[in-house]
């Protein structure tokens, strides 16, 4: 077991090179008693005398001390190399970012963000984890992921978030629906229509809460955790759906078509955020990715 310190080795080498404690003290800006005590502790730990103290004439090295000083210089040099490497590594944007994505957001935003960031920093790669908000919270707290792209529907006191954008809900309808040509739609125009609900934790409650201003409960015909299943059900006339994230294409996997129409009702926008564990300092690569996301969404919102 190693019980000596780099500080003790540094003081010993300084005294060995200076030939006396006084000069070493001046060079290191350390008091003479502190240096003397450190070297005495080193000798005690090694059970070996390293210096011969000459009263008022400085010190000289014992045979063991002469051999030891060479090893100490090598060890201190390696320690400096390690320190330099860690300083360089802490500023280099490289390595793996473990990121989580809310299931309904990941396909819409994550690929573009990842592709744009890796163009700037080719030494970075990503490891993706998809889940609902509860699964992302657990992955953050347990260290499985470092950050997560999600909606700000979180009440976990261990998680803190940075807002990227505000997204208002909209209605999805089949292109064949009688209301498909409207520029905006009021929820009451759909009160007798079947709802296809995105049945993910927190999201399902959020969408159902939109009806509370009318003291109504929606008629839920289908529940699904899959965005594409939801879109296909809507496009095939199985009902309407509510979403926040905007999918660019109106064509579903089976070739059927749907349309997205803004709500005319008052609805509090939901925030898109990057979340991490409260108080945890992110690696440089993650901090850089967070800044990239903020700038990317600022540009999109201009």
């Amino acid at each position: 077991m190693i019980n000596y310190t780099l500080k003790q080795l540094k003081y010993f080498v300084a005294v060995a090179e200076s030939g006396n404690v006084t000069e070493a003290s001046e060079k290191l800006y350390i008091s003479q008693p502190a240096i003397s005590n450190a070297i005495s502790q080193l000798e005690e730990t090694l059970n070996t005398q390293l210096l011969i103290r000459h009263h008022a004439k400085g010190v000289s090295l014992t045979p063991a001390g002469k051999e030891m000083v060479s090893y100490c210089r090598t060890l201190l040099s390696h320690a400096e190399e390690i320190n330099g490497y860690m300083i360089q590594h802490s500023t280099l944007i490289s390595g793996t970012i473990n990121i989580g994505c809310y299931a309904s957001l990941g396909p819409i935003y994550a690929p573009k963000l990842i592709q744009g960031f890796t163009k700037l920093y080719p030494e970075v790669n990503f490891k993706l984890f998809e889940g609902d908000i509860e699964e992302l919270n657990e992955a953050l707290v347990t260290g499985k992921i470092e950050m997560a792209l999600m909606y700000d529907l979180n009440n976990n006191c261990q998680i803190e978030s940075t807002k990227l954008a505000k997204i208002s809900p909209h209605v999805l309808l089949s292109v064949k629906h009688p209301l498909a040509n409207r520029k905006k739609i009021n929820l009451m125009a759909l009160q007798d229509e079947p709802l296809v609900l995105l049945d993910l934790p927190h999201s399902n409650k959020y969408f159902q809460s939109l009806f509370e201003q009318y003291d109504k409960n929606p008629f839920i015909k289908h529940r699904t955790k899959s965005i594409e299943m939801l879109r296909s059900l809507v496009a095939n006339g199985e009902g309407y759906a509510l979403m926040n994230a905007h999918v660019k294409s109106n064509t579903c996997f089976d070739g059927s078509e749907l349309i997205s129409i803004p709500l005319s009702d008052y609805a509090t926008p939901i925030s898109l955020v990057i979340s991490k564990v409260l108080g945890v300092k992110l690696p440089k690569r993650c901090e850089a990715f967070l800044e990239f996301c903020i700038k990317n969404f600022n540009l999109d919102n201009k």
Side-chain angles (χ1 to χ4, degrees), residues 57-70:
K57 294 184 179 180
V59 299
S60 59
L61 293 169
T62 65
K66 290 178 181 179
E67 187 175 0
M68 181 68 176
V69 76
S70 177

Side-chain angles (χ1 to χ4, degrees), residues 70-88:
S70 177
Y71 286 122
C72 288
R73 288 193 184 104
T74 300
L75 186 56
L76 290 169
S77 176
H78 286 322
E80 284 295 323
E81 289 176 5
I82 292 171
N83 188 54
Y85 170 79
M86 292 309 297
I87 291 173
Q88 181 183 17

Side-chain angles (χ1 to χ4, degrees), residues 47-59:
N47 196 27
T48 302
Q49 184 176 352
L50 302 174
L51 297 175
I52 300 173
R53 282 81 171 170
H54 305 287
H55 182 65
K57 294 184 179 180
V59 299

Side-chain angles (χ1 to χ4, degrees), residues 8 43 47 89 92 106 110 116 130 151 154 185 209 230 234 250:
Q8 291 171 342
E43 290 177 317
N47 196 27
H89 184 72
L92 182 67
E130 292 180 277
Y151 287 126
N154 214 331
I185 291 183
S209 72
L230 177 144
V234 169
N250 289 332

Side-chain angles (χ1 to χ4, degrees), residues 11 14-15 18 20-30 35:
Y11 291 175
V15 171
S18 301
N20 64 77
V21 175
T22 302
E23 188 175 334
S25 172
E26 292 173 354
K27 183 187 295 184
L28 296 172
Y29 298 100
I30 303 295
I35 292 176

